[in-house]
Amino acid sequence: AAPGAAMLRRSLWLCLCLCSCPARGLRIHEYLYFQVLSPGDIRYIFTATPAKDFGGVFNTRYDQIHLVPADPPEACGELNNGVFIQDQIALVERGGCSFLSKTRVIQEHGGRAVIIADNAYDNDSFYIEMIQDSTRRTADIPALFLLGRDGYMIRRSLEQHGLPWAVISIPVNVTSIPTYEMMQPPWTFW
């Protein structure tokens, strides 16, 4: 099907899901959208999926919040830029430790949420189901999975501009945006 038709189906599905559970936020296997506001060369709406069985939900909309790439990128221990993660959203790379461990590291540094991008930079279509590890630990902040290509393009843009973070809005209600106005990444089909 055409990308526009797929977007319409996904938007309708998202609307039905959100209407059926507005107080609880997003449920398993649903999409959450965020928009990069700055830098302008990646001012697109990106798709992410929430963790399956750990982490919180977005009960608040953040119109302008920093998306800070973790240093080191895998966020499996102490962060060199943890002070910049405080009250912001972290962009983390998959690998090195469990999804839950990464989420807990960001939570311990005061992050409001974590977006974990696949470490396969050419992945532009396959979403990983993030599940809890076997440690029985918990995390309270939302954890989202982002396609590898999207994470790579965000990090690359920040590096090219010499910026320490992007400015994003999250979550974005795509059902209220006309399809012809959707600014979706040109490298990803919706």
Side-chain angles (χ1 to χ4, degrees):
M7 175 61 200
L8 180 59
R9 282 194 307 275
R10 188 179 293 176
S11 296
L12 290 173
W13 182 73
L14 178 65
C15 181
L16 289 171
C17 292
L18 289 176
C19 292
S20 67
C21 59
R24 293 182 45 221
L26 293 172
R27 294 183 298 188
I28 298 170
H29 301 298
E30 294 179 2
Y31 295 100
L32 185 135
Y33 302 91
F34 68 94
Q35 182 174 19
V36 173
L37 304 173
S38 172
D41 63 330
I42 54 165
R43 192 177 166 100
Y44 301 117
I45 294 176
F46 294 90
T47 305
T49 56
K52 178 180 177 181
D53 57 5
F54 68 89
V57 296
F58 278 96
N59 291 320
T60 302
R61 176 172 157 73
Y62 300 101
D63 289 321
Q64 292 188 0
I65 191 166
H66 294 161
L67 177 62
V68 182
D71 179 23
E74 291 179 344
C76 291
E78 190 62 32
L79 300 177
N80 298 325
N81 65 340
V83 67
F84 298 111
I85 303 283
Q86 178 79 35
D87 292 323
Q88 305 304 321
I89 297 176
L91 178 61
V92 171
E93 210 171 281
R94 180 181 179 202
C97 61
S98 72
F99 294 119
L100 178 58
S101 292
K102 295 171 186 299
T103 304
R104 289 181 53 88
V105 166
I106 299 306
Q107 180 174 305
E108 289 164 7
H109 283 85
R112 295 197 182 198
V114 60
I115 297 175
I116 303 171
D118 195 356
N119 55 0
Y121 300 148
D122 60 344
N123 178 10
D124 61 3
S125 60
F126 182 70
Y127 289 92
I128 302 293
E129 191 169 78
M130 296 193 311
I131 59 172
Q132 189 170 19
D133 57 23
S134 59
T135 63
R136 299 186 188 239
R137 298 173 299 167
T138 61
D140 299 319
I141 64 171
L144 305 171
F145 183 82
L146 182 66
L147 296 173
R149 174 71 60 106
D150 293 344
Y152 169 77
M153 296 300 276
I154 292 169
R155 283 189 302 276
R156 187 180 84 169
S157 176
L158 294 176
E159 289 170 7
Q160 288 175 342
H161 293 287
L163 297 171
W165 53 69
V167 178
I168 67 170
S169 288
I170 189 169
V172 172
N173 181 357
V174 296
T175 61
S176 66
I177 302 172
T179 304
Y180 62 87
E181 289 183 15
M182 291 291 290
M183 291 296 297
Q184 44 201 1
W187 56 86
T188 304
F189 288 109
W190 285 41

